[in-house]
């Protein structure tokens, strides 16, 4: 019939654009190409992180500490975001603010001692110094505790019927994150103050172990290590242990030959040094060659009764043992957490790598162990001007400090450090 078009005629009369759209093939994503692009992005950002970290370390201790603090905040943000998602949907608007308030209070409490130790001499000399600021710093722990009590009262006052179980669970999760992230991050900050080597060596050992666990795993891996991380193998675990032990000696050999890495931070001025300004100090005994007697049976074999070696190599080997056998469980813990919340990564802060937590999961555990190991087996606890000044300012009143100054002037006069005329002028000024 003339008024009716066949299906063939209808197709022929369709517009060219429609026909082209119908003929356009479906785009199929090439899996090989996708993996290639992901590898390129991951490699680029790996290089960015490596060179960025070296740049910050060379910039000085202060900027390295700032880096650690920023990483703590980012990890806290990622962990809180995945655990408090329900609060956004249930009209619990104060939960997020309370979490961040507790973070600030915890950092202030933990880092306040460092603030006092390394800035008190600067505050005394500063033209902008005020009694109020000094009082705040001196009573920092009390102020921080009062701030925490305020958060506790606020939490109780915002409890809502029907959400009690969730709110208490959220409070527990927040405190657990503060313990695992902020407290251990505080230990890492102290490692930097003890000397850059106590920060770089543990970090380098964890990175080395992670790299060689992957290489040995894909090369020799056959036996699954732990169920929550199916890609981790026993062969990769053992291979990484061996390689990390060797790397600990190499890293230590390089780092312990530079004062910039082994000198501790003792006062505010030391925080301003960088790799170009130069720094000097009396090295810790672990960086000085010591003579050790070799067991008789071994001495007969090698023909030597004594060996001369720096103790730091032994300590580095012990750190590598922890980095290889214990620190990876921080990663396994993170893997279990991701499975519990059914997520692939903790975030997308670092392209190709996921979140900051995905890269830092082992570092916090390693940092806290390194700090406690240093304090137990290495620290010499020397008295320095910063600690002495802190003790005087915090524990003595104004009149007591005046008596101390007069006594010091008298002592300096008696040992001949100041002349009689100068001593008389000082006595006249202080009376």
């Amino acid at each position: 019939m003339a008024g009716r078009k066949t299906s063939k005629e209808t197709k022929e009369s369709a517009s060219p654009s429609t026909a082209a759209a119908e003929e356009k093939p479906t785009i199929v994503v090439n899996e090989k190409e996708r993996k290639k692009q992901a590898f390129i992005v991951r490699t680029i950002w790996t290089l960015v992180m490596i060179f960025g970290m070296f740049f910050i370390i060379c910039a000085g201790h202060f900027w390295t500490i700032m880096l650690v603090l920023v990483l703590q905040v980012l990890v806290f943000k990622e962990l809180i975001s995945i655990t408090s998602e329900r609060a956004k949907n249930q009209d619990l608007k104060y939960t997020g603010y309370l979490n961040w308030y507790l973070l600030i209070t915890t950092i202030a409490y933990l880092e306040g001692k460092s603030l006092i130790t390394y800035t008190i001499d600067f505050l005394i000399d500063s033209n902008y110094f005020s009694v109020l600021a000094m009082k705040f710093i001196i009573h920092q722990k009390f102020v921080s505790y009062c701030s925490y009590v305020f958060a506790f009262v606020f939490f109780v006052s915002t409890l809502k019927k029907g959400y009690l179980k969730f709110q208490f669970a959220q409070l527990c999760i927040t405190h657990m994150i503060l313990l695992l992230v902020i407290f251990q991050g505080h230990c890492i900050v102290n490692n930097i103050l003890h000397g850059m080597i106590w920060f770089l060596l543990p970090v380098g050992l964890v990175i080395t172990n992670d790299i060689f666990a992957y290489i040995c795993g894909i090369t020799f891996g056959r036996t699954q290590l732990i169920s929550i991380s199916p890609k981790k193998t026993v062969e990769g675990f053992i291979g990484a242990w061996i390689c990390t032990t060797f790397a600990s000696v190499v890293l230590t050999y390089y780092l312990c030959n530079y004062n910039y890495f082994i000198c501790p931070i003792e006062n505010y001025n030391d925080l301003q040094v960088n790799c170009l300004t130069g720094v000097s100090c009396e090295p810790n005994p672990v960086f000085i060659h010591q003579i050790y007697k070799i067991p008789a049976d071994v001495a007969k074999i090698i023909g030597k009764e004594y060996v001369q070696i720096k103790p730091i190599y032994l300590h580095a080997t012990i750190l590598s043992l922890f980095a290889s056998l214990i620190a990876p469980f921080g990663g396994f813990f993170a893997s279990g957490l991701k499975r519990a919340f059914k997520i692939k990564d903790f975030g997308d802060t670092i392209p190709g790598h996921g979140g900051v937590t995905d890269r830092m999961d082992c570092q916090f555990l390693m940092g806290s162990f390194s700090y406690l190991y240093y304090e137990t087996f290495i620290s010499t606890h020397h008295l320095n001007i910063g600690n002495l000044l802190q003790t005087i300012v915090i524990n003595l009143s104004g009149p007591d400090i005046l008596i101390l100054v007069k006594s010091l002037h008298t002592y300096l006069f008696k040992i001949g450090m100041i002349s009689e005329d100068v001593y008389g002028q000082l006595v006249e000024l202080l009376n």
Side-chain angles (χ1 to χ4, degrees):
M1 297 177 64
R4 182 182 297 176
K5 291 185 178 180
T6 64
S7 60
K8 182 178 180 181
E9 290 174 335
T10 303
K11 289 182 179 179
E12 289 176 352
S13 62
S15 63
S17 59
T18 305
E22 291 177 354
E23 294 175 1
K24 186 176 180 180
T26 304
I27 298 176
V28 179
V29 178
N30 190 319
E31 184 66 17
K32 184 177 180 181
E33 189 67 22
R34 187 188 66 80
K35 289 184 177 180
K36 179 181 177 182
Q37 290 296 325
F39 176 78
I40 293 174
V41 171
R42 187 182 181 91
T43 302
I44 292 174
W45 277 94
T46 298
L47 295 175
V48 169
M49 287 190 292
I50 291 174
F51 286 109
M53 179 179 172
F54 281 128
F55 176 79
I56 293 174
I57 289 171
C58 291
H61 298 72
F62 173 79
W63 296 109
T64 307
I65 292 173
M66 290 298 103
L67 171 64
V68 173
L69 293 177
V70 169
L71 292 175
Q72 287 183 75
V73 173
L74 291 175
V75 171
F76 180 85
K77 175 179 177 293
E78 290 177 353
L79 293 176
I80 284 295
S81 65
I82 66 172
T83 58
S84 61
E85 187 66 28
R86 183 182 169 190
K88 299 177 182 178
N89 304 322
Q90 296 185 346
D91 195 28
L92 300 174
K93 57 183 178 180
Y94 296 114
T95 300
Y97 296 116
L98 183 62
N99 289 334
W100 285 99
Y101 179 83
L102 287 171
L103 170 67
I104 295 171
T105 301
T106 304
I107 291 179
Y109 183 85
L110 292 175
E111 304 304 338
K113 183 179 179 180
S114 298
L115 177 66
I116 294 173
T117 303
Y118 301 104
T119 63
I120 197 168
D121 52 349
F122 167 76
L123 289 173
I124 291 175
D125 295 334
S126 173
N127 294 329
Y128 302 100
F129 168 74
S130 68
V131 176
L132 182 61
M134 190 67 178
K135 291 293 184 182
F136 175 79
I137 293 177
I138 290 175
H139 301 101
Q140 156 268 332
K141 284 192 174 182
F142 182 76
V143 173
S144 299
Y145 174 77
C146 290
S147 300
Y148 175 83
V149 171
F150 173 77
F152 176 79
V153 173
F154 180 80
F155 168 76
V156 175
S157 65
T158 56
L159 290 173
K160 296 178 65 175
K161 291 183 179 180
Y163 304 108
L164 295 178
K165 185 176 181 180
F166 170 77
Q167 287 182 286
F168 278 107
Q170 186 63 41
L171 183 68
C172 293
I173 291 173
T174 301
H175 280 76
M176 181 59 70
I177 295 174
L178 291 174
L179 175 64
L180 294 177
V181 176
I182 308 305
F183 175 76
Q184 293 189 115
H186 167 68
C187 294
I188 296 175
V189 170
N190 283 333
N191 289 340
I192 297 172
L193 297 174
H194 291 154
M196 196 69 82
I197 187 173
W198 303 110
F199 167 73
L200 285 175
L201 184 59
V203 169
L205 292 177
V206 169
I207 294 174
T208 301
N209 184 262
D210 192 36
I211 292 173
F212 281 100
Y214 174 76
I215 294 175
C216 295
I218 62 174
T219 306
F220 310 107
R222 296 292 183 274
T223 310
Q224 187 181 48
L225 177 64
I226 189 168
S227 60
I228 59 174
S229 293
K231 294 183 180 180
K232 305 296 183 181
T233 62
V234 174
E235 293 80 6
F237 191 74
I238 296 175
W241 175 18
I242 298 172
C243 295
T244 303
T245 303
F246 175 76
S248 69
V249 178
V250 177
L251 284 171
T252 302
Y253 175 79
Y254 176 78
L255 294 173
C256 69
N257 288 314
Y258 296 90
N259 285 339
Y260 178 69
F261 295 126
I262 67 174
C263 287
I265 298 298
E266 297 182 345
N267 53 59
Y268 172 78
N269 292 326
D270 288 343
L271 277 175
Q272 303 177 66
V273 303
N274 57 57
C275 64
L276 300 179
T277 58
V279 62
S280 61
C281 64
E282 181 181 349
N284 189 295
V286 298
F287 299 113
I288 301 174
H289 282 96
Q290 307 287 337
I291 297 176
Y292 297 94
K293 187 175 181 180
I294 301 175
D297 295 336
V298 179
K300 291 179 181 180
I301 298 174
I302 64 177
K304 293 179 65 176
E305 294 185 7
Y306 298 92
V307 63
Q308 192 177 42
I309 191 173
K310 295 179 180 179
I312 182 62
Y313 289 107
L314 173 62
H315 296 302
T317 303
I318 296 174
L319 290 177
S320 71
L321 190 70
F322 187 90
S324 303
L325 303 182
I326 306 299
F329 282 84
F332 302 153
F333 177 86
S335 297
L337 187 61
K338 286 188 287 188
R339 285 180 175 273
F341 286 92
K342 299 178 181 180
I343 57 174
K344 183 178 182 296
D345 296 312
F346 285 103
D348 55 0
T349 308
I350 309 173
H353 290 266
V356 177
T357 311
D358 294 287
R359 298 277 65 85
M360 294 291 296
D361 47 14
C362 300
Q363 294 289 358
F364 288 113
L365 188 61
M366 185 69 201
S368 60
F369 173 79
S370 302
Y371 167 75
L372 293 172
Y373 184 86
Y374 175 89
E375 289 292 336
T376 305
F377 301 106
I378 298 172
S379 177
T380 54
H381 295 288
H382 288 309
L383 182 65
N384 56 59
I385 297 297
N387 292 334
L388 185 60
L389 183 60
Q390 174 191 349
T391 303
I392 292 172
V393 173
I394 292 177
N395 295 289
L396 298 182
S397 63
D400 290 336
I401 295 176
L402 187 60
I403 294 174
L404 175 63
V405 171
K406 290 179 180 179
S407 301
L408 290 174
H409 287 160
T410 303
Y411 172 74
L412 292 174
F413 169 66
K414 289 183 177 180
I415 65 174
M417 293 295 295
I418 58 177
S419 65
E420 185 175 356
D421 292 339
V422 173
Y423 175 68
Q425 293 175 6
L426 290 173
V427 171
E428 184 177 350
L429 287 172
L430 293 175
N431 287 333

